[in-house]
């Protein structure tokens, strides 16, 4: 962590992971399905990313998009994915689980944390869907999570800045509160100064045109709201460097 700040970049490809490290990221959150907020990546992706980067790689454990209320079978999938991620070199894990009334699922989190150890664990933005964030923070601390990623229970970290600051003050170093959600070079300084955070989370992506020459405009591989077939979003080295420079210059 340089100059008091650590930048975590969420990525869904080897190219993005390499670009994030080149740009100065101190940690990578490895996901699939960033359009859904991030789901569990393939173990093949994890293996190759670990061969290509030296910074720590934290692996998202989320079996599907949507809410964070999981069935027994989904829990078995999560446990299996955690074991495989550890086997293939994960440096940390990222997950979150809630009860139907919007509280931290302490029973499930305890069980999953036991499978994750001794690796560090981040509670992801499921936190932004809780009923009482201040109470939820104390629950995460008591369970032993090292970090919580949050946009302050709002649409972006900038909108949720006041709550992020309140959470960081409440945490008093017992857990790392990591702002994330809509962070760009335009708002990073304000978010870091306003939240007193020591870490931040971003994707820093740009669209890159596909190399495909033949294109069929009549067929899409996903639903109508999915990303264009011939445009690929990847972490942008220049954007990562800019965000890193902003974070350093704040001090």
């Amino acid at each position: 962590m340089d100059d008091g700040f650590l930048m975590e970049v969420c990525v869904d490809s080897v190219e993005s992971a390499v670009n994030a490290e080149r740009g100065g990221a101190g940690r990578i959150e490895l996901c699939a399905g960033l359009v859904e907020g991030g789901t569990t990546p393939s173990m093949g992706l994890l293996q190759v990313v670990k061969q290509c980067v030296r910074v720590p790689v934290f692996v998202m454990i989320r079996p599907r998009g949507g809410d964070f209320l999981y069935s027994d079978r989904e829990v078995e999938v999560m446990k299996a994915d955690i074991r495989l991620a550890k086997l293939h070199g994960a440096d940390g894990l990222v997950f979150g689980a809630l009860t139907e009334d919007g509280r931290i699922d302490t029973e499930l989190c305890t069980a999953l944390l036991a499978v994750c150890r001794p690796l560090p664990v981040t509670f992801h933005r499921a936190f932004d869907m809780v009923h009482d964030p201040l109470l939820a923070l104390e629950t995460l601390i008591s369970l032993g999570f090292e970090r919580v990623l949050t946009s302050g229970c709002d649409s972006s970290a900038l909108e949720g800045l006041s709550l992020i600051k309140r959470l960081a003050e409440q945490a008093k170093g017992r857990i790392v509160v990591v702002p994330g959600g809509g962070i760009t070079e335009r708002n990073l300084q304000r978010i870091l100064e306003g939240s007193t955070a020591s870490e931040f989370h971003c994707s820093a992506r740009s669209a890159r045109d596909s190399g495909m020459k033949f294109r069929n405009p009549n067929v899409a591989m996903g639903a109508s709201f999915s990303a264009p077939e011939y445009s690929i979003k990847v972490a942008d080295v220049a954007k990562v460097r800019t965000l890193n420079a902003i974070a350093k210059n704040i001090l």
Side-chain angles (χ1 to χ4, degrees), residues 7 17 36 44 58 99 133 144 146 154 186 195 197 207 231 233 242-243 245:
M7 172 172 50
E36 294 183 284
F58 280 30
T99 61
E146 280 77 10
D154 215 321
R186 297 177 185 174
S195 66
S231 178
K233 285 197 170 181
T242 299
L243 288 164

Side-chain angles (χ1 to χ4, degrees), residues 63 74 112 185 201 223:
E74 286 171 332
L112 293 177
E185 58 271 21
H201 173 100

